[in-house]
Amino acid sequence: MDATRWGMLEEMLDDLNIRPLVAVVPDNRDPTLQLDQPDPRFWEKVHAWIEKGWTIAMHGYQHVFHTVDRRRLVLPFYDRSEFAGLPYHDQAAKIRASWDLFRQQGIEPKVWIAPAHCFDRVTLQAIREETSIRIVSDGIARDQFYRFGFFWLPQQLWSLEAKRSGLWTVCLHPNSMSVSDIKDLKGSLASDKYRVRVVSAEFVICRQRRRSPADLAYATYFWQRSRLFSAVHRLRTLARA
């Protein structure tokens, strides 16, 4: 990871007493995530995050993707996945290897975050049988829900946006944030608009709640908008070519 950007973000979160949910890749082999020298004290940092009350999530295994048919996915964001489309024994082996690496460090993640948001129901089966994880940080809904034997903390935003009700997760990628991005984020989080709205994952009450009509309506809107944006992007790409 980019140590400078992560350090800035961590200092900012500490100043604001915000305890985030952090996606940890236990055996990173993705060149696009190798932006600095390997940190021999990385797992010490993870333990320090835990001591501060941060929630650690298992973010796959090695973050290496293969192409997959989106129709196989629980959430059809992209046509790539580290897990989806593979036979159960292959997915279970990856999950087991990832879980073992965490356990070797004395860490037991409570949450699953799939690389690129892309996984299938076989992935969930492997997680259930190979780990004690029962919470997924993903899904398109207006509030926490229960599905496929897991509690879901929906993840619908990639920047701050005030909402009147519900549970909303903002996905941030510090490696690609600029210094000004981090400063702007701090200013927003410190404002009256957002300061009292932020909650740590550990304080979310997980209920065996089915998705409501409002949740399903929002999901329909989300995916229709996503397909529209993708189509516009393809047209612009063709026009530039």
Side-chain angles (χ1 to χ4, degrees):
M1 60 190 184
D2 186 308
T4 300
R5 287 180 170 84
W6 273 87
M8 289 182 61
L9 192 71
E10 182 169 357
E11 181 179 0
M12 179 266 286
L13 294 171
D14 288 345
D15 288 345
L16 298 174
N17 195 30
I18 292 175
R19 298 185 290 276
L21 171 62
V22 185
V24 174
V25 184
D27 184 27
N28 176 30
R29 302 296 179 92
D30 184 348
T32 67
L33 294 184
Q34 296 173 0
L35 302 176
D36 219 324
Q37 293 300 311
D39 184 354
R41 301 183 63 184
F42 173 74
W43 289 106
E44 293 179 32
K45 287 185 177 180
V46 177
H47 278 285
W49 295 339
I50 294 172
E51 290 174 5
K52 290 192 291 189
W54 294 20
T55 301
I56 304 302
M58 176 192 286
H59 191 42
Y61 173 39
Q62 296 178 326
H63 212 274
V64 176
F65 299 111
H66 57 266
T67 303
V68 66
D69 185 342
R70 293 193 191 194
R71 291 172 296 182
R72 291 178 175 265
L73 302 174
V74 175
L75 302 167
F77 275 100
Y78 307 108
D79 57 359
R80 62 183 186 273
S81 175
E82 184 178 8
F83 297 90
L86 298 178
Y88 172 80
H89 66 272
D90 290 342
Q91 295 204 43
K94 288 174 178 281
I95 296 295
R96 189 182 314 118
S98 178
W99 184 250
D100 287 346
L101 288 174
F102 279 104
R103 293 296 297 274
Q104 288 168 18
Q105 299 297 330
I107 298 169
E108 190 167 306
K110 304 298 183 184
V111 181
W112 164 259
I113 297 179
H117 311 272
C118 294
F119 57 100
D120 56 20
R121 291 184 64 174
V122 175
T123 315
L124 295 176
Q125 179 186 355
I127 294 169
R128 171 168 283 280
E129 296 183 3
E130 298 292 340
T131 80
S132 63
I133 293 173
R134 296 295 180 269
I135 300 174
V136 175
S137 172
D138 225 324
I140 307 303
R142 293 179 57 84
D143 208 340
Q144 175 269 322
F145 63 95
Y146 186 80
R147 192 182 186 201
F148 302 140
F150 287 84
F151 298 98
W152 296 63
L153 309 182
Q155 198 275 286
Q156 323 91 321
L157 302 174
W158 283 260
S159 61
L160 289 176
E161 185 176 336
K163 299 292 184 179
R164 293 181 180 178
S165 62
L167 179 69
W168 303 81
T169 306
V170 182
C171 178
L172 301 174
H173 295 91
N175 286 332
S176 58
M177 296 175 71
S178 66
V179 172
S180 61
D181 289 336
I182 296 173
K183 290 182 178 178
D184 289 345
L185 178 64
K186 182 175 184 178
S188 296
L189 287 171
S191 69
D192 292 339
K193 186 177 182 180
Y194 292 109
R195 187 173 61 245
V196 298
R197 295 173 180 252
V198 180
V199 64
S200 300
E202 64 178 318
F203 294 120
V204 176
I205 299 174
C206 291
R207 299 167 291 148
Q208 291 194 10
R209 169 189 175 274
R210 297 180 63 180
R211 289 180 296 171
S212 69
D215 290 320
L216 297 173
Y218 175 75
T220 299
Y221 159 75
F222 179 94
W223 292 115
Q224 287 180 344
R225 184 184 63 175
S226 177
R227 286 191 287 269
L228 176 61
F229 286 170
S230 295
V232 170
H233 176 72
R234 287 195 297 270
L235 289 173
R236 288 177 175 173
T237 301
L238 289 173
R240 286 196 297 268

